[in-house]
Amino acid sequence: MAVLPALMICGRLFWLQTFRHANLSATASREFNRTVSEIGPRGRVFGAGGELLAESILAWDAGLFKKDLDEPARAVSDLTRVLSLPPSFPGKFRKAKNFVPLKKGLDRRTCEAVKALKLKGVTLEPVQSRYYPSGDLARSVIGVTRAERGLTGIELLYDKVLSGRVSRREVVRDAAGRVIFQDSHEKESRPKDLHLTLDRNIQYFAQEALRKAVEKSRADLGMALVQDPASGRILAMTAWPLDVAKIEPVEWTYEPGSTFKSVTLAAALEKGIVSENSTFFCENGAWAFNSRVTLHDHEPEQTLNLSGVIERSSNIGTAKIGLKLGVKDFYLYTKAFGFGARSGLGFHGESAGILRPLERFKQIDLAVGSYGHGIAATPLQVINAYSALANGGRLFEPRLVEKITEFGGEEIFRSEPAVIRQVISPGIAGRVKAILRAVVEKGTGKNAALPGYSIAGKTGTSKKIDPRTGKYLTGRNVASFAGFFPVPEPRYTILVVLDNPKGLIYGGEVAAPAFREIAGKIINLKGLKPDAPLPRKTGPQLPEKPVSD
């Protein structure tokens, strides 16, 4: 009888060792062998001058397993002291069944202090924390991350470039859970770094000038951009109040208003249908376009020459220029200047603006569109169009990334300037620049002037549309100023936009001064020499005719 149990045991062992060997081995491997994956730090983000704007730093999250403690009372006392835990922690510890979270984001010094306590049951989990050495500088452009993934801005757009490299290692533990062997499956490598075109100082100037302008005018929102017209590089891009989840200058749309008159002017000159000698009767400020629509100017004007129409910002005069241009050419040049299409920066949420199809354009659409009503644009589209006027008629792709490098500095990619198209000829661009220079010298843009420096630009004031009804809102406007300097060879294009300013509402009153502040600080920073004669002091003069836009 004793033989039967022995045979049964031998049979069982034979079955386990022969037929169940693979499954049991796999189970044991799962219990004692683990492949651990860790994500390294994200790549760094730099400004144009090499200034560090964002980096990842290592931190630790501390936790505690109660059941592993030898001396619970001492552990609670020591951890409360080292981690500066609140007085409520002992009660939290007593109520917990086993695991107790202690504190997140410990720096290296505190982490080492916890290790020095030599407490069993304490866990220190390494985590990556994004750090911004320059504070809020360009924060909305840089964006935010969570769990080492980009959620907005550059962090999202270039997530694959900035993402930390994943390293995997095999860890073997004994029955007590102690590590007895570990091996690396992948060699750990550093992430790549991103170098932006943003100039740290100019970005700061733009942010500060915009903040003051928004607060002074009590505007709902403000945006400011600075661009290098000779390359398309974005030197500053900001909005106030700050919202790190949005990049307003590429997402927010508005009717550009009178800043768009420069586009109509350029197209009409290019087609040869107007010249500096052309004159336009501006109907004393009110023109009955048809039985239902009357066009108005801010101030009553009579007959103005071409430059006078732009200097005085006459809607009626510009509408007559637009009608001479015609629907087809107006539409084609509007598209050629980049309106109605995304810029190419690639941000999630970037708007193409609103430009109705050519076949839906009517004469009234042409008339009001010529002075920037009935179309919608982003601030980025507007500044890029003005850079084309400044640089001789070339529309560049706007650029925000200069290059990508390895961690050690080796360049692996460089973004070169790219011309989308030649919109107007250099000669025509020069004629437009001369008229926009006159706007600042003696027209609506006087508040943008800086003595001794040649500045060209255009004011803009437009009404806001209620998105629910499609009708204009009473008493709500967008004020703006777009311009560039020095006029002979422009190096900087600046746009300031203020949404719904209170009190003073015109672009020349609230946006032009902010433009002047940014331009003045850039001039001082770069040491630009005066390129225009200082205004001569004269005797008493008659009051100037008021002009607003």
Side-chain angles (χ1 to χ4, degrees):
M1 296 294 293
V3 176
L4 184 59
L7 288 174
M8 292 176 64
I9 292 172
C10 290
R12 177 67 174 173
L13 289 173
F14 176 77
W15 181 75
L16 290 174
Q17 293 177 359
T18 305
F19 297 102
R20 292 284 292 161
H21 171 76
N23 288 340
L24 293 174
S25 178
T27 301
S29 179
R30 285 195 297 270
E31 289 294 329
F32 300 107
N33 300 349
R34 294 288 177 90
T35 298
V36 180
S37 296
E38 292 184 356
I39 299 178
R42 285 176 70 81
R44 298 169 295 183
V45 179
F46 294 92
E51 307 90 354
L52 184 61
L53 300 178
E55 68 174 335
S56 286
I57 57 175
L58 189 62
W60 288 264
D61 290 346
L64 176 66
F65 286 95
K66 289 175 59 176
K67 295 180 181 179
D68 294 338
L69 293 174
D70 293 330
E71 302 176 73
R74 182 179 77 84
V76 169
S77 175
D78 288 351
L79 289 170
T80 300
R81 172 177 52 82
V82 171
L83 296 177
S84 300
L85 298 176
S88 60
F89 174 69
K92 181 180 178 182
F93 175 82
R94 287 192 299 272
K95 293 179 181 178
K97 292 183 178 180
N98 188 13
F99 181 74
V100 186
L102 296 175
K103 198 169 187 177
K104 292 185 176 183
L106 305 186
D107 58 24
R108 185 175 296 276
R109 181 178 178 182
T110 307
C111 179
E112 293 300 327
V114 172
K115 287 181 179 179
L117 298 176
K118 297 183 179 179
L119 294 171
K120 291 183 178 179
V122 173
T123 63
L124 291 167
E125 181 182 353
V127 293
Q128 300 294 332
S129 178
R130 206 64 166 154
Y131 173 59
Y132 305 94
S134 298
D136 287 338
L137 198 74
R139 280 290 287 107
S140 62
V141 176
I142 296 170
V144 296
T145 62
R146 185 192 305 163
E148 286 308 297
R149 293 189 64 85
L151 297 182
T152 65
I154 287 291
E155 296 277 18
L156 173 59
L157 184 58
Y158 288 88
D159 187 56
K160 290 184 178 180
V161 173
L162 294 170
S163 290
R165 299 295 185 268
V166 178
S167 61
R168 299 199 308 271
R169 67 179 188 273
E170 184 178 347
V171 177
V172 180
R173 300 176 184 272
D174 61 14
R178 294 184 294 265
V179 175
I180 58 176
F181 173 78
Q182 68 178 27
D183 187 24
S184 177
H185 282 188
E186 274 184 25
K187 184 179 180 181
E188 204 169 337
S189 61
R190 292 283 194 172
K192 295 177 175 58
D193 292 333
L194 205 61
H195 299 255
L196 305 182
T197 60
L198 296 178
D199 184 300
R200 180 180 178 178
N201 291 316
I202 296 177
Q203 178 74 26
Y204 176 77
F205 297 155
Q207 289 188 192
E208 283 300 293
L210 181 66
R211 179 185 59 80
K212 289 189 286 185
V214 169
E215 292 174 353
K216 183 177 180 180
S217 67
R218 294 174 289 135
D220 295 343
L221 174 69
M223 287 155 285
L225 299 92
V226 183
Q227 187 177 32
D228 173 6
S231 66
R233 296 167 69 245
I234 302 296
L235 305 178
M237 184 159 65
T238 185
W240 185 263
L242 176 65
D243 184 347
V244 296
K246 297 180 181 178
I247 308 179
E248 302 282 11
V250 305
E251 299 178 16
W252 195 80
T253 60
Y254 70 112
E255 290 194 347
S258 294
T259 57
F260 194 82
K261 291 172 181 174
S262 303
V263 174
T264 303
L265 169 67
L269 286 172
E270 184 72 29
K271 295 300 293 183
I273 62 168
V274 297
S275 72
E276 285 78 358
N277 295 324
S278 301
T279 58
F280 302 87
F281 179 54
C282 298
E283 310 288 343
N284 292 310
W287 181 27
F289 186 81
N290 56 37
S291 60
R292 294 183 301 172
V293 179
T294 299
L295 305 184
H296 296 274
D297 277 342
H298 298 292
E299 308 292 342
E301 306 288 354
Q302 295 184 358
T303 299
L304 298 173
N305 64 14
L306 184 65
S307 185
V309 168
I310 306 302
E311 292 169 32
R312 307 292 299 177
S313 200
S314 169
N315 292 339
I316 294 171
T318 308
K320 291 186 175 183
I321 296 172
L323 292 171
K324 288 175 68 70
L325 180 62
V327 168
K328 183 178 180 181
D329 284 330
F330 172 81
Y331 181 84
L332 292 178
Y333 276 94
T334 299
K335 292 285 288 184
F337 270 101
F339 296 96
R342 291 183 178 87
S343 70
L345 281 182
F347 282 115
H348 296 262
E350 180 176 354
S351 174
I354 302 173
L355 180 64
R356 60 171 50 87
L358 175 60
E359 60 271 15
R360 290 176 53 195
F361 257 87
K362 301 176 182 178
Q363 288 297 297
I364 185 59
D365 299 323
L366 171 60
V368 300
S370 66
Y371 53 84
H373 287 198
I375 63 176
T378 65
L380 180 61
Q381 289 173 330
V382 174
I383 195 172
N384 212 40
Y386 266 75
S387 285
L389 295 173
N391 67 31
R394 296 169 297 162
L395 186 74
F396 277 93
E397 284 187 358
R399 291 192 298 141
L400 195 53
V401 172
E402 190 73 54
K403 61 182 178 179
I404 299 172
T405 64
E406 298 286 3
F407 186 85
E410 180 186 355
E411 184 177 305
I412 58 176
F413 169 80
R414 176 170 288 273
S415 175
E416 299 293 346
V419 176
I420 300 173
R421 66 183 67 90
Q422 184 79 34
V423 185
I424 56 175
S425 64
I428 296 299
R431 292 163 69 182
V432 173
K433 287 161 63 175
I435 292 176
L436 295 182
R437 174 78 177 110
V439 171
V440 176
E441 286 183 315
K442 52 186 177 180
T444 60
K446 286 183 177 180
N447 284 333
L450 284 166
Y453 293 89
S454 60
I455 292 175
K458 184 70 190 74
T459 53
T461 308
S462 59
K463 294 180 180 180
K464 292 198 65 174
I465 293 179
D466 186 339
R468 296 172 299 176
T469 65
K471 297 181 179 180
Y472 287 110
L473 293 166
T474 302
R476 294 175 67 87
N477 302 281
V478 178
S480 59
F481 186 90
F484 45 84
F485 67 96
V487 171
E489 294 183 13
R491 294 177 57 182
Y492 302 96
T493 309
I494 303 174
L495 171 67
V496 177
V497 180
L498 296 172
D499 176 28
N500 194 31
K502 283 73 170 183
L504 300 176
I505 64 169
Y506 292 112
E509 297 172 325
V510 293
F515 173 101
R516 181 182 63 225
E517 180 177 343
I518 298 170
K521 289 185 175 180
I522 292 175
I523 287 170
N524 290 333
L525 173 71
K526 302 299 182 179
L528 301 184
K529 296 180 180 179
D531 70 310
L534 293 171
R536 291 180 296 176
K537 293 183 179 180
T538 58
Q541 295 179 325
L542 294 174
E544 292 185 348
K545 187 177 180 180
V547 60
S548 301
D549 191 34

